Amino acid sequence: MDAALAQAASAAAAGEIPVGAVVVGPTGEILAAARNARESDPDPMGHAEILAIRTASRVLGDRILEGCTLVVTLEPCAMCAGTILAARLSRVVFGAWDDKAGAAGSVYDLLRDGRLPHPVPEVVAGVSADACAELLREFFAARRRDAQS
């Protein structure tokens, strides 16, 4: 989670919503690290999870990431959950819950929906949740202050 938090801090410094993600291989090595890049690219799919999964797939030369773990600072949204399922990641670890758009147990639970035709990943929630949530709180508080100026 420390590597994902570093990516999130980098996103905040670049004016992006501070979300960071890493994909960890089956033996514990970091295959890919990414931060949100929706504004800087501009790309509506520039979520940290999508970018990290794309890179990990290229590194491994395979679209299937079985045995790999995605570590992300914020609960994945529906788009990212769909990508996680398509990539067949074995595990998802996230920090802060997203009570507005989360799709890993808060608003929706796409990752554990057994009706879908993909293997269901293990989901570990709330890892370093306070640190992850604090980055988001600080970012949006600064945005509100800037908007009022």
Side-chain angles (χ1 to χ4, degrees):
M1 185 60 79
D2 289 340
L5 278 164
Q7 290 293 318
S10 171
E16 298 279 354
I17 294 173
V19 177
V22 296
V23 175
V24 179
T27 60
E29 73 284 11
I30 293 178
L31 300 173
R35 63 174 177 80
N36 269 3
R38 292 182 340 156
E39 303 302 325
S40 54
D41 277 351
D43 179 2
M45 295 190 324
H47 290 206
E49 301 97 308
I50 303 284
L51 300 174
I53 290 168
R54 280 182 183 157
T55 300
S57 291
R58 288 185 188 117
V59 165
L60 293 178
D62 198 337
R63 66 179 181 82
I64 303 299
L65 299 177
E66 240 176 284
C68 295
T69 300
L70 174 72
V71 180
V72 61
T73 58
L74 181 64
E75 178 185 7
C77 69
M79 176 181 70
C80 293
T83 302
I84 290 163
L85 291 169
R88 297 197 182 122
L89 284 148
S90 296
R91 183 177 302 103
V92 176
V93 176
F94 70 86
W97 290 95
D98 184 348
D99 60 0
K100 293 181 181 173
S106 62
V107 180
Y108 308 103
D109 199 354
L110 295 176
L111 293 181
R112 292 177 280 213
D113 189 332
R115 297 171 293 177
L116 296 171
H118 300 289
V120 176
E122 175 187 359
V123 177
V124 179
V127 176
S128 301
D130 291 340
C132 295
E134 185 59 27
L135 270 175
L136 290 159
R137 276 192 294 274
E138 288 174 8
F139 177 81
F140 286 111
R143 249 194 186 173
R144 285 189 295 274
R145 282 192 303 273
D146 291 346
Q148 291 174 353
S149 306

